[in-house]
Amino acid sequence: MTSFRVGFVQGRPRFGEAAFNLELGLALALDLDAHLVVLPELWSSGYVFSSHAEVAALAEDPQRGPTARALSAAAKREKRHYIAGFPEAGRGGRVYNSAMLVGPSGVKAVYRKLHLFEREQEWFTPGDLPLAVHKVGPAKVGMLICFDWRFPEAARVLALEGADVIAHPSNLVFPNAQEAMRVRALENRLYTITANRTGTEKRPGGTVPFTGRSQIVDPKGEVIVRAGKTETGAHAADVDLAMARDKRLTAITPILSNRRPRFYRRLMR
Ligand code: ACM
């Protein structure tokens, strides 16, 4: 068995307190026995923005900002990889709801959330980078962010790109998202790691309760590990890469190559 250990951190960040939030996330991760640790969406900033000025003030440079610096130092010290959500300062004042993959030698990749939810559409520019898969040790890892779960095309593209694992930093608000992520894992025969946050964020921009229940799901759609709704903590599990790479549902039924893309043409639009 080719195995690889992955984990997630679940907790409640304080809005606008990047240093505190990054320290908390890394402290929760510290004792976790995992090669890759996933932290929630917008972990450094918090979620409920109230103005464009606030978004601009909290937006981070993807190479030199607080998340990049804190995760790079931890990844180097602990000789492993991290993925975490952060507000990314892009060109021309644009801000993206992004996640970065960081290893011992620094930031390796950034993903910009493709499907923005609700008021995120006021604060962020929709993602403009292709869905991509990255080597993390022996594994191939793709990233999605939170509401991307509602668009099965995104997970499918990562599966077709060869992902063994989808890392899914989240601030989930719908109670059925965790169950839907089991389906994303099942239909693509890969692992998913959803790192969600807890608590209710009450700010001038709105009041948003989050659902916790972060989880790791295997290629059969089974939940291997799931946190409680309000739990603060971290969990890890083994990933069987051979299982993720075997796309046969039965000996003669390979689910990816049995697709009929000729009949899916509307998906191209
Ligand atoms: C969400 O996409 N944060 C609900």
Side-chain angles (χ1 to χ4, degrees):
M1 177 172 116
T2 316
S3 88
F4 176 68
R5 269 184 85 73
V6 298
F8 61 77
V9 163
Q10 173 173 295
R12 178 180 188 158
R14 291 187 191 160
F15 188 87
E17 297 189 33
F20 172 87
N21 297 334
L22 289 162
E23 200 174 309
L24 171 66
L26 292 170
L28 290 169
L30 193 61
D31 291 332
L32 205 61
D33 175 17
H35 302 102
L36 169 66
V37 183
V38 184
L39 278 71
E41 178 184 15
L42 294 171
W43 177 258
S44 58
S45 59
Y47 184 77
V48 185
F49 292 91
S50 306
S51 67
H52 286 283
E54 211 169 65
V55 178
L58 292 171
E60 303 178 24
D61 183 281
Q63 298 292 333
R64 288 172 295 279
T67 299
R69 279 187 277 116
L71 295 193
S72 297
K76 189 171 180 184
R77 214 168 37 234
E78 299 163 16
K79 299 184 178 53
R80 61 174 168 187
H81 285 73
Y82 278 94
I83 288 174
F86 72 108
E88 180 193 354
R91 286 177 190 221
R94 285 185 281 273
V95 181
Y96 300 91
N97 180 342
S98 296
M100 64 170 74
L101 166 66
V102 182
S105 53
V107 178
K108 284 171 83 158
V110 170
Y111 166 69
R112 294 172 171 166
K113 186 176 186 178
L114 288 175
H115 306 99
L116 298 174
F117 178 67
E118 252 256 333
R119 291 200 77 187
E120 289 174 35
Q121 296 170 105
E122 282 178 56
W123 314 130
F124 299 111
T125 300
D128 53 4
L129 300 175
L131 289 158
V133 163
H134 313 281
K135 282 284 278 181
V136 177
K140 291 188 191 155
V141 177
M143 294 182 270
L144 295 180
I145 298 177
C146 202
F147 192 52
D148 286 329
W149 70 266
R150 200 63 181 77
F151 300 83
E153 296 90 339
R156 176 66 100 200
V157 167
L158 290 176
L160 292 170
E161 292 291 329
D164 304 307
V165 175
I166 293 177
H168 181 223
S170 293
N171 281 186
L172 292 166
V173 296
F174 290 107
N176 52 0
Q178 286 85 345
E179 293 309 300
M181 283 307 290
R182 294 181 61 186
V183 180
R184 298 290 92 79
L186 173 85
E187 66 202 0
N188 294 299
R189 288 180 81 82
L190 44 65
Y191 287 83
T192 63
I193 312 162
T194 296
N196 196 19
R197 59 160 291 179
T198 60
T200 295
E201 207 168 272
K202 197 165 179 200
R203 302 205 63 256
T207 298
V208 182
F210 301 99
T211 61
R213 299 168 77 236
S214 298
Q215 63 185 17
I216 300 172
V217 181
D218 77 10
K220 294 182 176 160
E222 300 297 332
V223 177
I224 318 174
V225 173
R226 183 180 270 167
K229 182 166 190 252
T230 58
E231 180 185 338
T232 295
H235 294 274
D238 278 325
V239 157
D240 179 348
L241 293 173
M243 185 175 171
R245 288 172 189 177
D246 182 359
K247 301 300 187 192
R248 289 171 303 175
L249 191 55
T250 75
I252 57 165
T253 318
I255 53 145
L256 290 188
S257 45
N258 271 11
R259 293 162 58 251
R260 305 293 307 284
R262 190 155 66 87
F263 294 94
Y264 309 155
R265 245 177 258 157
R266 286 174 72 85
L267 281 182
M268 306 299 175
R269 288 190 229 140

